Amino acid sequence: MGRPPCCDKIGVKKGPWTPEEDIMLVSYVQEHGPGNWRAVPSNTGLRRCSKSCRLRWTNYLRPGIKRGSFTDHEEKMIVQLQGLLGNKWAAIASYLPERTDNDIKNYWNTHLKKKLKKLQSGDSCLSGAGELFPAMLSKGQWERRLQTDISTAKQALHDALSSETADKSFAGATPYASSTENIARLLKQWMNEKPNSHNNNNNKSQCSSSTSNNRTAVDSSCSD
DNA sequence: AAGAAGTGCAACCGCCAACCG
DNA sequence: ACGGTTGGCGGTTGCACTTCT
C-alpha cells in the first residue's frame, strides 16, 4: 500500500502566492495560531496544500523574519555552523532566528558555496578568508570564535523574543517585519503594479508581481 | 537594441520522524 | 506494539530578473 499524498492533488493550486492568499493565511494564523496545517486549506478556503501553507507561513509571512542581504556576521555564523553541523539548515537557522532555513540554504547554495570554491581554487583576491572559512583557521581559534558567535546569536535570539513580546510594533523600528507589515508591503506593491498585470492576469503575471514585490520589499527595507 | 547566459530565490517534492488512537 | 497521519526537513527545480556579449 503506497503512501497517501499529503493532500488531494486535484484542484490544489500551485505556484507563487498572491497577496489575497497571503492575507487569508495570515488572518487565519493570527486567529488560530500556527499549527494544524491540515485544517488550514478547508478552514480558509485556500486551494493550497497544507504543506504549502506551512511553508509560506514559516518562510515568508511569519513575524520576525529579517529580509534583505546577509551581514558579515551572519555570513560567518552560517559558514562556521555549516562546517560544524553540515547541511542541517534548520539547526543552523535556530542560531539565526530572524532567518529561515530556506533563506540560509539558498544563501549557502548561491553565495557561500561559490566563495568557498573560489578560495579553494586559490583565489587570493578574497581577503579575510580565514575569518570567513574556519578551515583556514587553527582548530583552537575556530572553536573560540564559534563559541563567541553562538553566544552572540543566543543573545540576539533573546533580544528578539523579548522585544517581540514587549512591543508588538517593533517592526517599524527594526529590520524585522511583522506578518501584518509583510502583507501591507506586498499589497501596496501589488496595487501599484496591478495596472500592468491587468493585461496579462495569468499565473506568470502573478508570479512576477509576487516576486518583484518581494524584491522591492527587500530593497526598500535595505535602504531604510 | 536584442538575445544569451548567469543569478537569485520562492516554491515543490519526497523522505523521515514524531505523534496519536 | 502497531499503523496511519501530520509536520518538518533537505534537495531540487522553475522562472523572473540582471548582466554580459
Side-chain angles (χ1 to χ4, degrees), chain A residues 3-188:
Chain A
R3 184 189 171 79
C6 73
C7 50
D8 186 5
K9 300 273 181 189
I10 301 161
V12 172
K13 192 184 168 197
K14 285 188 182 182
W17 282 64
T18 63
E20 289 98 331
E21 288 176 315
D22 284 342
I23 290 165
M24 287 163 79
L25 180 57
V26 167
S27 55
Y28 177 84
V29 173
Q30 279 177 344
E31 198 175 332
H32 299 91
N36 195 14
W37 295 107
R38 183 76 175 171
V40 172
S42 53
N43 289 349
T44 59
L46 282 166
R47 295 172 65 186
R48 292 279 182 175
C49 172
S50 57
K51 271 187 176 183
S52 184
C53 294
R54 187 186 61 81
L55 214 62
R56 182 66 177 171
W57 171 258
T58 54
N59 287 337
Y60 204 81
L61 300 172
R62 176 169 59 91
I65 294 176
K66 181 180 167 189
R67 310 206 65 82
S69 52
F70 282 70
T71 63
D72 279 354
H73 181 253
E74 285 174 324
E75 197 170 290
K76 284 171 196 169
M77 283 286 290
I78 293 166
V79 170
Q80 290 172 345
L81 288 166
Q82 202 278 340
L84 193 67
L85 303 170
N87 293 358
K88 303 287 177 192
W89 306 117
I92 294 171
S94 69
Y95 289 101
L96 297 161
E98 68 277 28
R99 299 289 187 183
T100 69
D101 54 350
N102 206 39
D103 254 0
I104 293 170
K105 181 172 59 182
N106 278 334
Y107 190 68
W108 174 265
N109 285 331
T110 56
H111 294 89
L112 298 177
K113 239 176 171 177
K114 284 176 200 167
K115 258 188 186 175
L116 182 60
K117 216 172 182 181
K118 256 188 178 178
L119 285 170
Q120 281 174 343
S121 66
D123 191 339
S124 59
C125 70
L126 284 157
S127 60
E131 273 191 31
L132 187 55
F133 294 99
M136 298 180 183
L137 292 172
S138 75
K139 201 184 173 198
Q141 279 179 306
W142 175 64
E143 278 172 354
R144 272 196 302 278
R145 285 192 181 191
L146 184 60
Q147 273 304 320
T148 312
D149 285 343
I150 288 172
S151 306
T152 313
K154 280 182 177 167
Q155 183 60 45
L157 172 61
H158 179 263
D159 291 347
L161 290 174
S162 56
S163 68
E164 188 175 357
T165 49
D167 179 13
K168 292 280 178 189
S169 65
F170 66 97
T174 72
Y176 298 87
S178 70
S179 54
T180 318
E181 283 283 321
N182 286 342
I183 287 292
R185 261 198 320 238
L186 281 167
L187 201 56
K188 203 174 171 186

